[in-house]
Amino acid sequence: MLGRTANSLFWMFRYLERAENTARLLEAALRMALTRDIVAAEAEWRSVIATLGLQMPYEAVNDGYDGMAVWNFVLRGASNPGNVRSMFGAVRANARAARINISSDVWEAVNESWMKLDKMLARPVGPTMVGEVLLAIRRAGTQVHGAFDGSMLRDEGYHFSRAGTFIERADSTTRILDMKYFLLLPSLAYVGSSLDTGQWEQVLRSVAGARVYSWLNAGQIEARGIVEFLVLDERFPRSLAFCRNALRENLAALARMHGAEGRSNALMRDVDTRLGNLTVDQIFEQGLHEFLVDFLARNAAIAEAIAEDYRFLA
């Protein structure tokens, strides 16, 4: 497979995952803001911008953190080159570049989703429409992934696509957990702390894990359990452990197909050595923020190594 095709598939699914994760983050913030006073709601929207790393460009064009200003900036803001409308444009452009390597079902799901979302985001999104828009973004992700799982040959293209998905998903979960934990517990002392249950529920909603976490923990919301769930639980599809395992399998498959391992496989083994037998108590002992920053750096290094190993275009 040509490097440019592998690159297109890898980034097609990174952008798709990023758009869906952004919609979930906005959806959780909207739910939280509706139950808070004006000051608390503003803080909620500020945390969304901080989690996405958009403080500077946002504040360059906005004076405050009003909900409508935030979600329009994130979804369609002209001064935000990484807005969701642009992300879906990138999904479609990459799908078109890799057209002969994806099924008709996948192309149709991508193209139809792009046309619908491009139309919805062509004008400012008001309070009565934002829920519908966010739902459409999430459904687009579900439809594309469903078409992909049900119709794609398990060849190189499949594994490059899945690698992109899990690199991006791990990055998103890490950033959400780091930002929210920093805001809630800056001292990093979790035993006996007074927790804002609503905020922790928002963390779980942002990664589509509220219902399953509640089921596994009899409805008990507390920092230690949430960190263990989002970092170490190999059963949850958006946990760091699940993403790490899935990424390892896809990189191993690519190495077998190419007859040799690359630097990405070596870095993956380093991550396994670092995280394989880690406990939640050890994570808190070293500092959750420090652990998450280290994970982000390792995740980014693996993404760069994949590009080097398979000669992606810059």
Side-chain angles (χ1 to χ4, degrees):
M1 177 174 285
L2 294 176
R4 62 176 176 270
T5 303
N7 183 67
S8 293
L9 290 168
F10 182 77
W11 278 101
M12 170 187 166
F13 278 87
R14 284 202 70 171
Y15 282 123
L16 181 67
E17 186 71 24
R18 192 176 299 178
E20 184 179 352
N21 292 337
T22 300
R24 291 185 186 280
L25 183 62
L26 286 172
E27 205 167 47
L30 180 63
R31 180 189 295 266
M32 183 63 65
L34 290 174
T35 65
R36 294 294 195 260
D37 59 33
I38 293 175
V39 174
E42 182 174 299
E44 196 60 49
W45 291 115
R46 186 187 299 272
S47 77
V48 169
I49 294 296
T51 301
L52 297 173
L54 296 173
Q55 300 98 313
M56 288 184 64
Y58 178 84
E59 291 178 358
V61 294
N62 292 282
D63 294 327
Y65 281 84
D66 171 73
M68 186 170 170
V70 169
W71 71 61
N72 273 287
F73 182 81
V74 172
L75 292 173
R76 59 180 302 280
S79 57
N80 173 19
N83 66 64
V84 171
R85 189 183 187 193
S86 296
M87 286 183 206
F88 259 92
V91 171
R92 184 177 184 271
N94 280 293
R96 185 167 54 187
R99 181 68 183 85
I100 63 171
N101 294 96
I102 60 175
S103 67
S104 296
D105 285 357
V106 173
W107 169 251
E108 289 169 6
V110 169
N111 197 45
E112 289 172 7
S113 296
W114 174 79
M115 288 190 292
K116 179 178 181 179
L117 290 169
D118 191 60
K119 183 177 180 180
M120 294 179 84
L121 296 173
R123 57 184 61 86
V125 179
T128 60
M129 281 296 295
V130 63
E132 183 177 340
V133 170
L134 297 177
L135 179 60
I137 295 168
R138 289 198 294 105
R139 282 182 173 170
T142 299
Q143 288 167 358
V144 175
H145 280 298
F148 180 82
D149 286 340
S151 66
M152 282 288 291
L153 192 67
R154 269 46 175 176
D155 59 1
E156 288 178 274
Y158 175 86
H159 294 293
F160 281 120
S161 302
R162 297 298 279 173
T165 295
F166 289 110
I167 284 282
E168 191 65 38
R169 185 173 295 178
D171 184 274
S172 175
T173 297
T174 305
R175 291 181 186 279
I176 289 170
L177 184 56
D178 188 39
M179 179 55 62
K180 284 299 182 183
Y181 191 79
F182 175 77
L183 291 174
L184 286 168
L185 297 173
S187 69
L188 300 183
Y190 69 97
V191 178
S193 296
S194 175
L195 303 177
D196 183 332
T197 301
Q199 287 282 0
W200 282 116
E201 287 179 348
Q202 189 201 13
V203 171
L204 293 168
R205 290 184 185 281
S206 297
V207 295
R211 181 169 296 181
V212 67
Y213 176 86
S214 180
W215 180 75
L216 289 171
N217 294 274
Q220 183 178 1
I221 302 291
E222 50 94 21
R224 185 184 186 281
I226 290 173
V227 171
E228 186 170 27
F229 177 64
L230 295 183
V231 175
L232 301 176
D233 196 323
E234 297 181 351
R235 300 167 297 176
F236 180 54
R238 294 182 180 274
S239 75
L240 303 191
F242 187 101
C243 292
R244 186 185 85 240
N245 290 342
L247 181 59
R248 184 202 312 112
E249 291 173 6
N250 286 286
L251 292 181
L254 286 169
R256 288 194 299 272
M257 291 174 180
H258 285 260
E261 289 192 345
R263 193 167 71 91
S264 58
N265 300 96
L267 291 175
M268 196 74 242
R269 280 193 293 273
D270 288 343
V271 171
D272 285 339
T273 300
R274 166 100 169 104
L275 304 182
N277 297 312
L278 200 63
T279 67
V280 69
D281 291 318
Q282 290 172 328
I283 291 173
F284 277 106
E285 285 171 9
Q286 78 171 77
L288 179 61
H289 172 70
E290 288 76 11
F291 168 81
L292 294 172
V293 168
D294 179 70
F295 186 92
L296 280 173
R298 291 172 185 271
N299 196 53
I302 292 172
E304 292 176 5
I306 294 170
E308 294 170 4
D309 290 345
Y310 300 101
R311 300 178 184 178
F312 283 6
L313 297 177

